[in-house]
Amino acid sequence: MRIGEFSPDLLVAQERHKSECSAFITACNPYSQVLDGPGNSLRQAELVQELAFRGIAFLEGIGQHPSNAWASEESFLVFGISLEAAKALGRRFEQNAIVWSAADAVPQLILLR
């Protein structure tokens, strides 16, 4: 996925999950403070528990900035989560931003702070 560009793969994934929206979220590196592997793994496990508790479908992924200036981060593509709910989840896990997409499958960068 690229911000602002239609993603046919995202559209197919959303349709497969009968979802009109999705969010790409991580719990890694809160507010851009780099954590070690175990620290990020623990945060990601907490995010998985939250998604499972809510009964929300998701797929594992890797977030990578196109310039490769920032290390890749384990992330989740979360289906059927509203923009407001995705923003709240991103804030709960102390993220600067999330990526959200409506039914048009055009990912948007949503700044949280």
Side-chain angles (χ1 to χ4, degrees), residues 11-102:
L11 181 63
V12 167
Q14 287 183 170
E15 288 175 348
R16 183 175 296 137
H17 287 87
K18 297 179 172 63
S19 173
E20 294 187 4
C21 55
S22 61
F24 198 64
I25 300 176
T26 187
C28 293
N29 304 316
Y31 299 136
S32 298
Q33 299 300 311
V34 178
L35 296 182
D36 60 10
N40 279 327
S41 292
L42 179 61
R43 293 177 60 81
Q44 286 293 91
E46 290 173 12
L47 178 52
V48 166
Q49 286 177 338
E50 178 65 26
L51 295 172
F53 176 77
R54 295 183 186 194
I56 300 174
F58 62 91
L59 297 174
E60 293 182 29
I62 299 290
Q64 178 78 43
H65 191 278
S67 72
N68 293 323
W70 184 260
S72 62
E73 295 177 329
E74 293 181 15
S75 303
F76 300 102
L77 180 59
V78 181
F79 297 99
I81 188 168
S82 70
L83 177 57
E84 289 309 311
K87 288 165 62 174
L89 195 58
R91 287 187 187 106
R92 177 172 174 216
F93 285 93
E94 302 172 304
Q95 297 301 300
N96 292 321
I98 60 167
V99 175
W100 189 80
S101 177

